[in-house]
Amino acid sequence: MSESSPATQAAHPKDYTGAKLGMWLFLFTEVLLFGGLFILYAVYLQRYPEGFRLGGEQLNVWFGGGNTLVLLTSSLSVAMAITALQRGRVRQTMGLVGVTVAMAFCFLVNKYFEWSAKIHHGIYPSSPQLKELPAGEQVFFSIYYLTTGLHGIHVLVGMVMMGWVLLLIRRGKVNPEDYVTLENAGLYWHLVDLIWIFIFPLYYLIL
Amino acid sequence: MNEHDKGHIVPYATLVAVWAALLTLTIMTVAASRIDLGALNIWVALVIACSKSVLVIGFFMHMKYENRLFRLFLLVAVVTLTVFIGFTFFDVLYR
């Protein structure tokens, strides 16, 4: 503890390790939440391998691959934003967080087009057309909508959170001396990326 | 105290290298899925996804530079999930 600034210490009693550990604990609950959905996936894949193969073939690899590229790049930009702020480059940080927000938006636009195309073809939970299909495909699309939908909500939350952090940086509330809020928002964003890293091969690439 | 807590600055070059590795692994997972390996396909996909996770958690999420408590927590979470999945399959496979 620096003896020179007891006033700032008292005004901002920040415990970085504690703040980040708290965020990690929250992220573990998220991992267990999505883990439940992946267990569901694994059990039904074992029961209906053929239905899952047919379902997976109907998903567009270009949408999934494009969104993988978008999320990996947005993870890079937020990781770089933390480095930039640690080095005291505030304008650069704001640019990088801005890129992350834009990438998150891109992801959601992609998802919108992807889902619309599927729904347009009559494939959505309990649609008449889906009810005609074999049980395996029905289960595949139900879990697909549930998992990617929940993931999409996380992307939306992450995007709003990044926008909020951008505002805090602009106001100087998050700055080169105090940036744990950006780090924690970044951790959340990386988790969203991590979950997609598993969704992409399991849903889009299964053969 | 706080100065040391804030930790390590990861250089841009490292982050960009990790990103490039993640893209390469993504291309590999797509390529591997086009080859018919039977039941092995799913395991190849999972191994690649786990390698990507290690890169993201280690470098982007700074886990490589955090103290041991963080890694212990991560281990507990991963083991818990593994037990969940493992026990579910005991039930499903031997019913």
Side-chain angles (χ1 to χ4, degrees):
Chain A
M1 194 179 295
S2 63
E3 293 299 319
S4 57
S5 58
T8 35
Q9 287 289 346
H12 305 283
K14 287 261 173 169
D15 172 4
Y16 264 67
T17 306
K20 279 193 278 183
L21 205 56
M23 193 66 195
W24 274 102
L25 274 176
F26 167 66
L27 296 187
F28 294 148
T29 69
E30 294 274 60
V31 167
L32 295 178
L33 169 66
F34 279 95
L37 292 173
F38 285 121
I39 291 174
L40 213 56
Y41 174 94
V43 168
Y44 282 104
L45 172 68
Q46 197 261 337
R47 190 169 296 173
Y48 302 113
E50 189 61 13
F52 271 52
R53 193 181 64 79
L54 291 171
E57 271 175 7
Q58 290 173 57
L59 295 183
N60 190 327
V61 179
W62 292 103
F63 270 125
N67 266 347
T68 305
L69 183 68
V70 166
L71 276 190
L72 290 177
T73 309
S74 66
S75 257
L76 173 69
S77 62
V78 75
M80 284 172 75
I82 293 166
T83 299
L85 200 55
Q86 283 171 326
R87 289 177 175 165
R89 295 177 191 151
V90 177
R91 287 193 65 81
Q92 206 173 44
T93 309
M94 284 169 61
L96 286 163
V97 176
V99 167
T100 310
V101 175
M103 289 277 179
F105 185 71
C106 272
F107 180 95
L108 289 172
V109 169
N110 261 346
K111 194 96 256 169
Y112 168 77
F113 282 118
E114 190 185 10
W115 274 28
S116 325
K118 276 276 158 293
I119 291 167
H120 190 73
H121 287 113
I123 295 173
Y124 52 89
S126 70
S127 71
Q129 204 171 321
L130 196 58
K131 281 180 177 164
E132 302 286 306
L133 293 174
E137 274 176 77
Q138 289 189 35
V139 172
F140 176 83
F141 280 110
S142 299
I143 305 178
Y144 162 76
Y145 274 107
L146 190 61
T147 311
T148 58
L150 189 65
H151 180 264
I153 291 171
H154 280 74
V155 173
L156 188 65
V157 169
M159 190 177 86
V160 171
M161 200 190 281
M162 281 298 162
W164 169 66
V165 171
L166 193 58
L167 212 70
L168 291 181
I169 299 171
R170 187 191 289 267
R171 287 185 186 158
K173 295 262 172 66
V174 171
N175 54 58
E177 272 72 51
D178 177 9
Y179 53 83
V180 77
T181 313
L182 174 62
E183 280 192 293
N184 279 348
L187 285 176
Y188 183 83
W189 189 254
H190 294 308
L191 180 90
V192 170
D193 186 20
L194 273 181
I195 291 161
W196 186 260
I197 283 174
F198 285 90
I199 291 178
F200 175 57
L202 291 178
Y203 287 87
Y204 291 81
L205 298 179
I206 182 168
L207 281 176
Chain B
M1 173 183 103
N2 280 344
E3 288 310 310
H4 293 288
D5 275 357
K6 283 180 187 173
H8 195 270
I9 299 178
V10 188
Y12 283 172
T14 310
L15 296 174
V16 172
V18 169
W19 175 75
L22 288 169
L23 291 189
T24 312
L25 285 167
T26 305
I27 294 165
M28 276 172 63
T29 195
V30 175
S33 76
R34 305 292 114 180
I35 308 162
D36 189 11
L37 304 167
L40 236 127
N41 270 115
I42 196 99
W43 292 107
V44 171
L46 284 176
V47 166
I48 295 176
C50 288
S51 323
K52 287 169 82 177
S53 305
V54 168
L55 286 175
V56 171
I57 294 170
F59 292 94
F60 285 176
M61 298 172 95
H62 294 198
M63 186 56 95
K64 193 172 181 294
Y65 314 103
E66 298 289 3
N67 69 41
R68 264 154 108 200
L69 185 63
F70 284 70
R71 258 165 277 176
L72 185 71
F73 273 38
L74 180 63
L75 185 72
V76 169
V78 171
V79 168
T80 308
L81 193 61
T82 312
V83 169
F84 276 1
I85 294 175
F87 275 59
T88 307
F89 273 87
F90 278 139
D91 181 30
V92 168
L93 294 175
Y94 301 109
R95 194 176 290 201

